[in-house]
Amino acid sequence: MAMIHELSPHLADLIAAGEVVERPASVAKELVENAIDAGSTRITVEIEHGGITYLRIADNGCGMAEEDVPIAFRRHATSKLRTEEDLSAIGTLGFRGEALAAIASVTRIDLFTRQHGALSGSHLHLEAGVMDAPEEAGCPEGTTIVVRDLFYNTPARMKFLKKDFTEAGYVLGVVQHAALSHPEIAFTLIRDGKQVFATDGKGKLLAPVFAVFGKEMTASMIEVPQQERNGMTVHGYIVKPHAGRPNRSMQHFFVNGRYVKSRLMQAALEEAYRNAIITGKYPSGAVFIELPLSAVDVNVHPAKTEVKFSQEKPVFEAVYIACKNAISANDNMPHIEHKERPAASQVQPSFEQQRFAVPKPVFHSPKPVETPARQITSSVQTTPPALEDFLVAVPPRAEKPRVSGSFAAAPSIWQEDTPSAGNAERDIAPLRSAAPSAAALPQMTESEPTASVVPPAAHRLEPIDCGARVIGECFQTYVIAEDADGLILIDKHAAHERLLFNQLRAKTEITQQELLTPVIVSLTGEEAAAVQSQIDDIRKAGFELDPFGENSFAIRSVPAYLDGEDVASVMEELAGKAMNNRSTVPDRLDDLIHTVACKAAIKAGKSTSMTELQDLCDRVLADGDVRSCPHGRPTMVRLTKYELDKLFKRVNQ
């Protein structure tokens, strides 16, 4: 008996639909690309319930002839290819002839289309791929496609869809990519009867950049002027190095007007920022490259977001040099607005903040010595680094800063404005005595204010004596202490981060502090959708937030120990983790708490007083669970007296 049989056309269409149609955003992408290929100057996208129950794409393009309407929904039917030679030079966004057939097989579709100058148009209704007879209809010039009830006949696929807000965020991403790649087209997105995105279609790239990235990020952007190299043209907008983000969600790359996900272009962009952006932050922007159609293959994946370049090195060089030149030619210094500090009565720290803070003694701060800034001259590399160095490890490789420092012996108070030791070179000073002299301490006066709030005894941290004496710190990063057994080196940021993390994870309810004024944080569509899907976990981590407009959230309360100035950056980092986190709920909550603890901990490179260092050392040594930070890095290293004696040849080897 024969075991092999041919699949029915309907079943074959359902299988093919799985490659093209994953969610409403996939449908929107295919139909928007068809509208662009039709020469439209105005495209409107309307969705309801995230596009699952209703999605409408209307354009003013060329429209379709009456005899072409039924053929358009057949598999492998297209107007964009004629011969096999056309595959080597694809200039349109669509070309496979599979999208309409795949969409029709899992939805209910109504098509209205009319060519320019025609007296009437055509209407066609399809349900699960079954086509009714076309009929004459009155409709505007162009094409309007209404897609209803996605996956209504394949419930197994329906259960994999996300919440409506999340799916709507993916659709917004599709429209934003299309608007960036075609500023000459006016795009409008309507969600549940409300307009949430629009561009003017006047042809200036800055308009869609402003609409996609927002006012604040656009103000920190620099233009990449159109530059030709190796027969390729690169242009776009990228952020200044100081405006890096904690993730790559705002990196957009386009090849010949097509949005793509390119590890090659990503590596070239991030390499251009090498030694200019802080480690752990990533650049953002929209980078466009135009090259001969024969030099790129877009027929790689049904989603058409992956491409292959015939020669990768010239592409890398073109993107790298264009972005590097733009960074070098602009003023990359951040511009800080002067803000009046609120009165002392308005910034009193809460009991919870003092409870988690390392005690800060009140001293007169010695006047900092003004060091003249070094003049740095640099030129753009005409020969970029080897391509092979960056294709595997995409994150930028940051070199360790050259630091010449001295052991800090005299105490100093916490100074938020003190520059990092890694940003200025200092002469090496001779080692001072272990204990600071009385003359080295700044003298207190009677007019010196005392602590603003004295917490009750129940909230005070009792002093701990673990028998270790702090000598000082080196590089403003590592605490140096000694005990009877030898020397102890403590990473002050990692240790304090672990202390906060342990205390927060042990609490059943994290104490919050209400902000004087809510902080409005703007995110991308995908980030906002991810935050909305995990908003309950974020609230458990100590935040009180609510949606505030399109892709924005109003933060009203934060964990009591978090600095209000860090709220926006913490939320961006939480959003990035929410996008990529697929762990269980307890692990996810730990991850959120870890992020907040990291922001609240003592920062490496910041000046810390001897009292703070001693208190931190005692608490780290008293807690046996503080031996590694939540990242897994060690918090301390011990160098025994015997090992020191061996180094100095005081004992036999």
Side-chain angles (χ1 to χ4, degrees):
M1 184 176 180
M3 298 294 293
I4 300 176
H5 60 276
E6 188 176 0
L7 296 177
S8 66
H10 178 64
L11 183 56
D13 287 341
L14 290 178
I15 295 174
E19 297 179 349
V20 178
V21 183
E22 298 181 28
R23 52 177 19 103
S26 305
V27 178
K29 176 181 179 296
E30 298 293 343
L31 298 182
V32 167
E33 287 180 350
N34 284 344
I36 294 173
D37 289 338
S40 306
T41 59
R42 185 178 65 254
I43 299 175
T44 301
V45 180
E46 183 178 1
I47 59 174
E48 294 179 4
H49 301 102
I52 300 173
T53 61
Y54 181 86
L55 188 151
R56 178 177 69 91
I57 311 289
D59 66 67
N60 63 345
C62 62
M64 288 188 284
E66 182 180 356
E67 56 271 19
D68 289 335
V69 170
I71 302 176
F73 288 89
R74 297 178 186 173
R75 290 191 66 189
H76 309 303
T78 179
S79 62
K80 301 162 188 177
L81 292 179
R82 286 288 183 267
T83 64
E84 61 184 66
E85 286 77 15
D86 294 339
L87 282 173
S88 61
I90 297 175
T92 54
L93 297 178
F95 58 89
R96 290 175 175 269
E98 295 178 344
L100 290 180
I103 295 170
S105 65
V106 292
T107 59
R108 298 183 174 97
I109 289 183
D110 282 287
L111 168 70
F112 300 88
T113 184
R114 179 163 72 96
Q115 289 184 311
H116 290 273
L119 296 178
S120 63
S122 301
H123 168 235
L124 181 65
H125 178 76
L126 300 94
E127 192 163 330
V130 179
M131 187 184 308
D132 294 346
E135 57 185 18
E136 188 177 14
C139 55
E141 293 181 342
T143 301
T144 300
I145 297 183
V146 180
V147 180
R148 295 183 175 89
D149 304 328
L150 179 64
F151 297 139
Y152 80 97
N153 58 341
T154 53
R157 298 288 302 279
M158 175 73 74
K159 66 181 181 181
F160 289 101
L161 296 178
K162 306 294 183 181
K163 295 180 180 179
D164 294 352
F165 189 90
T166 304
E167 296 297 341
Y170 290 128
V171 175
L172 174 60
V174 168
V175 178
Q176 289 178 336
H177 293 152
L180 285 171
S181 61
H182 293 83
E184 74 281 1
I185 301 177
F187 285 89
T188 303
L189 174 61
I190 302 172
R191 189 183 74 188
D192 297 326
K194 179 183 177 182
Q195 179 177 303
V196 296
F197 181 83
T199 59
D200 56 15
K202 293 183 178 180
K204 293 185 178 180
L205 180 58
L206 187 60
V209 165
F210 184 90
V212 172
F213 291 92
K215 177 181 178 181
E216 183 177 350
M217 185 173 291
T218 304
S220 299
M221 281 188 160
I222 54 179
E223 183 179 5
V224 179
Q226 187 164 310
Q227 180 174 339
E228 185 175 353
R229 182 182 176 86
N230 300 328
M232 307 172 188
T233 303
V234 179
H235 70 283
Y237 281 89
I238 56 178
V239 297
K240 295 181 179 180
H242 74 268
R245 287 174 55 86
N247 55 62
R248 299 185 176 94
S249 62
M250 297 293 278
Q251 293 182 1
H252 306 285
F253 302 103
F254 301 86
V255 177
N256 292 339
R258 181 192 305 275
Y259 170 74
V260 299
K261 298 177 181 178
S262 173
R263 298 287 294 272
L264 178 72
M265 296 178 67
Q266 175 182 301
L269 172 65
E270 294 181 1
E271 179 60 18
Y273 282 82
R274 186 180 180 187
N275 297 330
I277 193 169
I278 187 171
T279 303
K281 297 292 186 179
Y282 302 96
S284 304
V287 180
F288 302 79
I289 184 170
E290 283 78 32
L291 67 167
L293 299 178
S294 58
V296 58
D297 183 9
V298 299
N299 189 23
V300 177
H301 189 273
K304 301 191 291 289
T305 56
E306 299 178 14
V307 296
K308 284 186 177 181
F309 299 102
S310 59
Q311 292 183 316
E312 294 185 337
K313 187 175 181 180
V315 175
F316 182 93
E317 291 179 352
V319 174
Y320 169 81
I321 292 178
C323 295
K324 187 72 173 179
N325 284 338
I327 296 171
S328 302
N330 281 269
D331 174 21
N332 298 316
M333 183 178 297
H335 297 277
I336 302 175
E337 294 183 17
H338 174 71
K339 296 181 180 179
E340 294 293 336
R341 283 186 172 272
S345 58
Q346 297 179 348
V347 293
Q348 299 293 348
S350 68
F351 293 154
E352 197 70 18
Q353 284 177 305
Q354 292 205 354
R355 181 182 178 189
F356 285 103
V358 176
K360 303 176 183 179
V362 180
F363 293 125
H364 276 305
S365 176
K367 186 176 181 180
V369 179
E370 296 184 0
T371 303
R374 291 178 298 161
Q375 298 295 327
I376 301 175
T377 58
S378 60
S379 57
V380 180
Q381 292 178 260
T382 56
T383 304
L387 171 63
E388 293 75 9
D389 294 338
F390 311 104
L391 292 184
V392 177
V394 174
R397 300 178 299 170
E399 294 182 353
K400 297 181 180 179
R402 297 176 56 194
V403 180
S404 300
S406 61
F407 289 95
S412 59
I413 68 169
W414 184 270
Q415 296 180 10
E416 291 298 333
D417 297 330
T418 302
S420 170
N423 294 335
E425 293 185 356
R426 295 179 292 149
D427 294 332
I428 299 177
L431 294 178
R432 303 188 180 116
S433 58
S437 63
L441 295 175
Q443 300 298 317
M444 297 180 61
T445 65
E446 293 182 0
S447 62
E448 185 69 32
T450 57
S452 56
V453 174
V454 180
H459 292 275
R460 293 196 194 119
L461 287 174
E462 296 300 329
I464 301 174
D465 185 5
C466 292
R469 181 173 65 92
V470 171
I471 301 172
E473 64 174 329
C474 61
F475 309 122
Q476 294 184 316
T477 301
Y478 303 105
V479 184
I480 306 173
E482 68 169 349
D483 60 8
D485 297 327
L487 287 178
I488 304 169
L489 299 178
I490 301 174
D491 184 329
K492 64 182 182 182
H493 171 76
H496 194 205
E497 178 183 356
R498 184 69 189 203
L499 283 170
L500 291 177
F501 179 77
N502 289 350
Q503 294 182 59
L504 295 176
R505 190 167 56 171
K507 295 172 70 70
T508 56
E509 183 176 349
I510 297 176
T511 306
Q512 294 179 322
Q513 176 172 270
E514 186 174 355
L515 299 174
L516 292 176
T517 57
V519 176
I520 309 302
V521 180
S522 299
L523 305 171
T524 65
E526 292 85 349
E527 288 176 335
V531 168
Q532 185 67 37
S533 66
Q534 296 187 21
I535 194 168
D536 292 336
D537 293 334
I538 296 176
R539 286 170 176 161
K540 291 178 183 177
F543 292 87
E544 181 183 338
L545 70 163
D546 298 295
F548 187 83
E550 185 63 27
N551 302 326
S552 298
F553 291 87
I555 316 299
R556 308 185 188 280
S557 297
V558 298
Y561 45 86
L562 186 65
D563 192 337
E565 296 179 356
D566 292 333
V567 173
S569 62
V570 171
M571 284 306 304
E572 290 176 357
E573 193 166 334
L574 293 180
K577 290 187 175 182
M579 289 177 58
N580 304 316
N581 202 329
R582 300 180 179 178
S583 58
T584 59
V585 172
D587 292 339
R588 195 160 60 225
L589 186 57
D590 276 0
D591 199 26
L592 298 178
I593 292 175
H594 170 213
T595 299
V596 180
C598 182
K599 291 292 184 181
I602 300 173
K603 301 298 187 291
K606 293 291 185 180
S607 179
T608 312
S609 72
M610 288 290 290
T611 305
E612 293 177 278
L613 297 177
Q614 184 67 60
D615 186 81
L616 177 63
C617 175
D618 291 339
R619 298 189 186 285
V620 169
L621 296 179
D623 191 345
D625 194 30
V626 187
R627 294 298 177 263
S628 64
C629 76
H631 294 99
R633 294 189 293 107
T635 58
M636 69 180 70
V637 175
R638 178 180 288 276
L639 186 61
T640 65
K641 184 177 183 300
Y642 176 75
E643 291 171 329
L644 282 172
D645 289 341
K646 285 176 59 178
L647 290 173
F648 288 96
K649 310 298 182 181
R650 286 179 171 269
V651 296
N652 295 329
Q653 300 296 320

